Amino acid sequence: MTLNALLLALAATALLGVTIVVVRDRSRAELVLFVLAGITALAALTLDLHRLAPAGAAATSEFATTLAGFGLVLNLAIMQLAAERAETRHSLLRSIVLGLLGLAGALISAAAVFGLSGTNNAIAAGFGVVLILLILVIRRLDLSPLAAGALAAAALIGSAIVLTFLFEQSSGPILLRLAPNMGAEARAALERMLADTRWFGAGAGTFAAVGRIYQSDAGAALTAPTTATAIFAGMGAIGLAVSVLTALIALVRLFFGALQRGRDSFFPAATAACVLFALVQSFAGSGLLHPAAILCLAVIVGLGLSQSVSQSGSR
């Protein structure tokens, strides 16, 4: 299990590196953005249809919710790309069509995240939307560094207040406070498991195997309710802290890269919003435990990091 987790991590890292190299050209970056936005919007549409059906597919809802959150942000970036094209020499008709497609994808994704998923997942997506809009406002109004810093500080304080309120709404281990509702027996088993976890955990990818020790019902598998819980049980507090710190460093790098990028700022801005959504949602759901979601996020991060510094293509 640990070997599988290691190979998945290596595959995601390799994919991120390849993406950084490939999408340095702006036309390729746009193509990757279009593909990502389309795939994630399709996943959101699947979630919409399943949830509206009499018997929804609960097994795929967390994974689809994660992709729908990415799709919401990526399609907002498509709309911004269309607006940037309309302001330049590009065809107005093509820009309008592109903007409408982005709007359709954003609406489909928003319906899945805000209307058909849990409250905490919706709040995580809200953080991502607020971040991409914050970057857009700072750039469009051409705010001074002092004004931009004050606005960013206000947004950071507001986010901290919202997160504090969410974590204080329930009791128990902090890693389970944003988790979806579960049975009392499963929650008790998870609490015992987390209490016994050491600094370096039991090994990456071993949550299911270790969970059998704490199960009172041998027929029911103990699954990780959130991504953060799985990381903590597998790699301990050290692994979780390193993961969160890595995400925060990437978030800060992308945020400032978006402010410095120019009219192509929607690439790093959308990636920063996706990273923020993934960071918050990892405490509220288990969608990021699916390999497809991990690989999708790797491509998104590679796209944002490459275009936050790339100078090729038209500016």
Side-chain angles (χ1 to χ4, degrees):
M1 292 179 180
T2 302
L3 180 60
N4 287 337
L6 174 61
L7 292 177
L8 178 59
L10 291 176
T13 303
L15 185 59
L16 187 151
V18 170
T19 304
I20 290 177
V21 175
V22 169
V23 302
R24 287 186 64 84
D25 179 74
R26 189 178 189 274
S27 61
R28 292 177 180 173
E30 289 184 1
L31 178 59
V32 171
L33 179 62
F34 295 153
V35 172
L36 288 172
I39 291 174
T40 51
L42 182 61
L45 180 60
T46 302
L47 178 58
D48 291 337
L49 296 177
H50 277 300
R51 288 293 179 86
L52 293 177
T60 61
S61 62
E62 287 291 340
F63 169 60
T65 298
T66 299
L67 292 187
F70 293 155
L72 174 60
V73 174
L74 293 173
N75 280 282
L76 289 176
I78 293 289
M79 295 172 63
Q80 189 175 349
L81 185 153
E84 297 284 359
R85 280 188 170 186
E87 293 177 355
T88 58
R89 64 182 182 275
H90 294 88
S91 170
L92 180 60
L93 179 60
R94 292 179 61 185
S95 299
I96 293 175
V97 172
L98 189 61
L100 291 176
L101 290 175
L103 177 61
L107 291 176
I108 292 172
S109 302
V113 176
F114 295 117
L116 301 174
S117 66
T119 302
N120 294 331
N121 288 321
I123 292 175
F127 280 136
V129 173
V130 169
L131 180 60
I132 195 171
L133 293 179
L134 174 65
I135 295 173
L136 179 62
V137 168
I138 292 175
R139 286 195 60 256
R140 285 294 181 176
L141 297 181
D142 196 19
L143 298 179
S144 64
L146 180 61
L151 186 60
L156 182 62
I157 294 173
S159 300
I161 293 174
V162 172
L163 289 176
T164 301
F165 174 78
L166 289 177
F167 277 105
E168 289 181 349
Q169 290 301 298
S170 60
S171 58
I174 192 169
L175 292 179
L176 297 179
R177 292 189 180 183
L178 299 184
N181 293 330
M182 65 190 81
E185 187 174 334
R187 186 178 184 88
L190 285 169
E191 289 181 357
R192 294 194 303 270
M193 183 178 178
L194 295 179
D196 291 343
T197 300
R198 299 186 178 184
W199 284 101
F200 292 97
T206 60
F207 185 95
V210 177
R212 297 193 190 100
I213 302 172
Y214 298 88
Q215 292 177 233
S216 57
D217 184 3
L222 187 64
T223 58
T226 66
T227 304
T229 302
I231 295 175
F232 181 82
M235 297 185 289
I238 300 297
L240 180 61
V242 170
S243 300
V244 172
L245 181 61
T246 302
L248 290 175
I249 292 174
L251 181 60
V252 173
R253 174 66 186 87
L254 290 164
F255 178 80
F256 286 104
L259 295 180
Q260 300 170 359
R261 182 64 177 96
R263 70 180 181 88
D264 292 338
S265 64
F266 51 83
F267 288 113
T271 301
C274 287
V275 170
L276 180 58
F277 164 73
L279 181 60
V280 178
Q281 204 255 350
S282 65
F283 289 86
S286 58
L288 280 174
L289 294 178
H290 293 263
I294 295 173
L295 297 178
C296 181
L297 182 59
V299 175
I300 293 172
V301 173
L303 173 64
L305 289 176
S306 180
Q307 282 296 313
S308 65
V309 298
S310 176
Q311 301 298 319
S312 62
S314 57
R315 293 296 301 273

